[in-house]
Amino acid sequence: MEITEGELSSEQSHRLAEVIRQHPEAKQQYLEYCQIHTMLAWEHGLLVDLQLLDPSDTPAPPSVSFGSWKPLAVAAALVLAGVILWSPWDAPSKMKPGETVASLTRSVAASLELSGASSEFNTGSPVRIGSYQLDEGIAQITFESGVEVVIESPASFEIHGPEFMILNEGRLAANVTPEGVGFTVETPDAEVVDYGTEFAIEVVGQRSTEVHVFKGEVEVQPKQQDTAIAPVRLVTNQATRIDHSTLIPLGISVDDQRFLRSLDEPEPTYSGQVRELLPLAYYRMGVMDDGHTLKDAARGHGNTASVVKGDTRRQPFAPGRIGSSLRLGGPKAGGYAHISSALELPTTEFTIMSWIRTQTLPRKAVLVSDMNLSGEETLRFGFVGDHGHLGLTIANAMRTLQIVDSSPLPLEDWTHVAVVKTTEELRLYRNGALVSSQSLNGFQAQSHNPLSIGGIPKDSGVKKRRQRSGFWHGRIDELAFFGSALTSEQIENLFQLTPSI
Amino acid sequence: MPGKRPEPSFEFVQLLTSHQSRLYAYVMSLLGNRSQAEDVVQETNAVLWRKAHDFKPGTNFGAWMLKVAYFQVMAHRRRLTRDRLVFDDDLLQGIAEEAEQQCEWQGERQRRLGDCIEKLTQRYQELIRRRYTEGATLKSIAAQSGQSENSIKQALFRARAALIECVKGQRPEEAV
């Protein structure tokens, strides 16, 4: 006990040494005792007084000696050594590892780690001061002041107090309540002080920092080295990029499609109206905590879908046309979603409708298909050819029918699309207007099931597809399936109902 | 001038920070003295920082760190008078080897620690909290609880013993 609680007397030291020398198991016990003390002291914040010596050979006042260092690196080192943190601009602020200043209010398949500690994080977990790594998923952290931040993986950040955090890498969106005004986020390139607002920051390694303001006002102070660079004030719908090499702020367009700012799906008129039309299945693409389920919002059906992520570490949810959307990475990532096999589209009449946004136009990319593992397909709603012409193809054993939109889809823009099959014809709609139709001429459709979204299953476990084709690159939102043929008026109404961005 | 020195990489800083608990445990075992260990940990950190560019990414950071720490412990011992040394030189070597092995398990044990604390009785939990979260001394805990310092000492000892058993993956017999 004296080892950790006080000082061993000379006599006690001798006795301890003697016991350890003679009994190997005593040595083991002694080591375990030291280890448990250390772990407790570390985890519970007792090492706060431990100070890292100024590592410079020639001691100088902190503001000078650290001014030319990477403040981020110094901060990170000191934070976890449980020590005093010197900020190059301010008076030293003392970090107290272990102090709770926030809580994890949503965890979407998040793999969140506090460096040097063993804490497990679930929704509701307290968030203590310290340095964090978010390798997967999304974490929503709410500070005591009410400030809410949504952090997307992969990210690395430090929480220093109820009003101050550092984002070393990754994406963050913050919603600052009036009580939280003054909330500050530091990045390797700048310090961002909030004045009551909704803003987002992206830090790309040591390359650049971008700050986007959606509502309110923030001040961005580049981390000047030699000459003073005046801070930039950003208000609603303004954004700036600070390149690491120059630290000069450059005005850029605000990007409201990059940051997931809320994890809740709003309830606007659109979704209510879709439900009125009794869809068979309706995927609003709301963020689910498990990070891969797509909930079916249709009344009484419950045909959930499940995301197969493919080769990407990023979580599959992104800002959508309404709330969030399903993000798919195209042929490179190979992600898609499969719908529970209980959902079957009738062969006589059906409607498929969605909001979509394309990033690139991969050959034959699929929005919805019933292609199975042996390659049989009787329905494909997606691109026809190489140039982003959207179309519907249906087939039976004898014939194939197709309707195609004559103009290609625009890139990086939300488009409302719908295909309708009646007993007589196929119709294709874009932004509420009919763009193509085709008579069935007695064509008898086959049943369409099971369906997948944004791609087709990659392998059956037995044989793999040779080519990665058919994977959607972009976002899909508010995907609805109906067992009836919606009228042109109904489709146009739904398009008109969507709130403007 | 420190500013002229190349900056340690972010990866290095992360390694350094995530190994702090292990470093402290190792130095503590070698010195058998809490306050001396804290001093040596600081010195070791400063050396690691200065030598950041000697470290080759991809090699074993932990092993390198402990080697540096060992030399710092030896340097510290040289500054101490003989009667303040807990272990003599030959015993130290043996402890160092085992402490090094022990360090390898620390990450896993640290992950279990939270659960193990929850399994303790409330009294022991409270004791651990007061000692390690608030930094209370045996004396102040004794004064506040109206118990003797010796009984607090014993209780704290038993609480730690139960935690040691638990993080080792065995069921603690007592205290839970």
Side-chain angles (χ1 to χ4, degrees), chain B residues 92-103:
Chain B
L92 186 80
Q93 185 61 44
I95 291 177
E97 279 168 20
E98 267 188 56
E100 220 172 291
Q101 287 170 14
Q102 180 112 359
C103 276

Side-chain angles (χ1 to χ4, degrees), chain A residues 447-499:
Chain A
S447 68
H448 311 297
N449 168 283
L451 296 164
S452 57
I453 304 170
I456 41 191
K458 261 194 301 189
D459 67 87
S460 59
V462 184
K463 66 170 192 179
K464 291 203 181 223
R465 286 189 198 292
R466 254 178 280 151
Q467 282 182 321
R468 274 200 175 176
S469 65
F471 294 100
W472 187 260
H473 189 200
R475 304 179 193 183
I476 303 175
D477 197 9
E478 307 287 330
L479 173 63
F481 297 87
F482 302 85
S484 58
L486 297 196
T487 65
S488 298
E489 292 72 33
Q490 284 171 322
I491 289 169
E492 197 197 337
N493 278 344
L494 281 165
F495 168 70
Q496 299 292 354
L497 269 174
T498 313

Side-chain angles (χ1 to χ4, degrees), chain A residues 308-327:
Chain A
V308 178
K309 244 168 87 175
D311 303 336
T312 174
R313 273 172 69 204
R314 288 192 77 182
Q315 50 79 31
F317 299 105
R321 182 61 183 83
I322 301 168
S324 57
S325 65
L326 174 68
R327 179 207 346 248

Side-chain angles (χ1 to χ4, degrees), chain A residues 375-389:
Chain A
E376 289 156 3
E377 188 180 33
T378 67
L379 175 141
R380 174 189 293 231
F381 181 25
F383 291 141
V384 176
D386 288 330
H387 307 293
H389 293 272

Side-chain angles (χ1 to χ4, degrees), chain A residues 346-378:
Chain A
T347 52
T348 48
E349 290 191 342
F350 64 79
T351 302
I352 306 172
M353 186 174 73
S354 182
W355 277 98
I356 53 174
R357 188 176 199 266
T358 54
Q359 203 166 330
T360 65
L361 309 167
R363 171 180 295 181
K364 292 182 175 175
V366 159
L367 274 175
V368 175
S369 160
D370 69 342
M371 186 185 281
N372 57 30
L373 290 167
S374 52
E376 289 156 3
E377 188 180 33
T378 67

